[in-house]
Amino acid sequence: VGGSPCTMLRCVGLLLLAFVHSKPSIRRRLSYAQLAKLTAADGAPNLHFGYAVATSGDNVAVGAYSDDAAGAVYVLRASDGAELAKLTPKAPDSEDGFGVSVAIDGSTVVVGAYRAGTSGAVYIFDINDPSDNYGEIKVSPELTGADPRFGSSVAISEAIYNTIAVGADGVGDDGRGAAYVYDYDGKLVKTLTAPGAAADDEFGTSVAIFKKLVVVGSFHGEAAYVFPRSANYDNSVTLTAADGE
């Protein structure tokens, strides 16, 4: 047979390429074709629909945060755009910043409202339980600082880990910031701070959860901190860019 010899690596590559081209569904996934355009059924101009987004399975939670009107979060099904729930606080306020951050796991949705009250607030909803405003749980601690911004970032774990993380990047008289770990019922589990934090670091600008790890970003501190649940979130690892200045 003519042609160059088929090395193991080349043969595997050719077989994979042939397989992909024989499967239109795989080609579509690889090309990231648009599945749906999601919009709010009652959408109005300047509500900033899409300011924050999060996904879980086929469900998408979209924050519609506005400086001029009470915010909302819409939960839609990605496959067909059907609206599953519209979430608002029991006592909405145009100044609360509701919808500035959002996270979802299954039917549990967490929404930040960083200007609510004196320190900010976070709301926990269950979209499978429409009673009592989707089982709304409001968490609004009294924190120190001129602008604590509790709820400026939120994250949620898989249900098995029962963990919610909330950033408050303005906490403290000098803006060092903090993050808070809660369970799904809104009970405080742990307060997280950055080792060696300095004034205006804004620890809590971003938060993320993966299984038993909570990660917190520090914007002006130019670092991220990893807190393991196995150590009661006490022994953190600091991440910085190798070429950071």
Side-chain angles (χ1 to χ4, degrees), residues 102-106 108-111 122-125 139 153-167 179-192 207-216 227-230 232-233:
V102 63
I104 181 172
D105 173 63
T108 304
V109 181
V110 182
V111 183
V122 161
Y123 297 81
I124 306 169
F125 300 94
V139 181
S153 60
V154 295
I156 188 171
S157 69
E158 299 172 59
I160 188 173
Y161 300 109
N162 189 32
T163 305
I164 293 169
V166 182
Y180 303 84
V181 179
Y182 292 88
D183 64 20
Y184 275 29
D185 295 321
K187 178 183 177 182
L188 179 64
V189 175
K190 191 76 174 181
T191 299
L192 308 178
V207 291
I209 301 175
F210 177 70
K211 294 187 177 181
K212 295 183 180 181
L213 298 177
V214 173
V215 184
V216 184
F227 297 85
R229 179 177 179 175
S230 58
N232 194 32
Y233 303 108

Side-chain angles (χ1 to χ4, degrees), residues 76-169:
L76 306 105
R77 193 163 49 227
S79 56
D80 60 8
E83 185 175 298
L84 305 178
K86 177 184 178 181
L87 306 175
T88 57
K90 290 179 181 177
D93 188 318
S94 61
E95 301 295 324
D96 282 356
F98 183 90
V100 71
S101 59
V102 63
I104 181 172
D105 173 63
S107 65
T108 304
V109 181
V110 182
V111 183
Y114 73 114
R115 291 201 306 257
T118 58
S119 301
V122 161
Y123 297 81
I124 306 169
F125 300 94
D126 182 354
I127 62 171
N128 284 344
D129 179 16
S131 64
D132 195 25
N133 199 36
Y134 294 100
E136 176 187 310
I137 299 173
K138 180 180 180 181
V139 181
S140 54
E142 292 294 325
L143 304 174
T144 61
D147 185 19
R149 293 171 53 88
F150 178 84
S152 55
S153 60
V154 295
I156 188 171
S157 69
E158 299 172 59
I160 188 173
Y161 300 109
N162 189 32
T163 305
I164 293 169
V166 182
D169 58 9

Side-chain angles (χ1 to χ4, degrees), residues 145 147 168-178 198-203 220:
D147 185 19
D169 58 9
V171 161
D173 294 334
D174 57 4
R176 293 176 185 237
D200 298 318
D201 270 1
E202 295 189 8
F203 175 85
H220 287 127

Side-chain angles (χ1 to χ4, degrees), residues 7-19:
T7 65
M8 179 65 72
L9 183 60
R10 184 168 179 269
C11 285
V12 170
L14 290 173
L15 288 171
L16 180 59
L17 186 61
F19 177 74

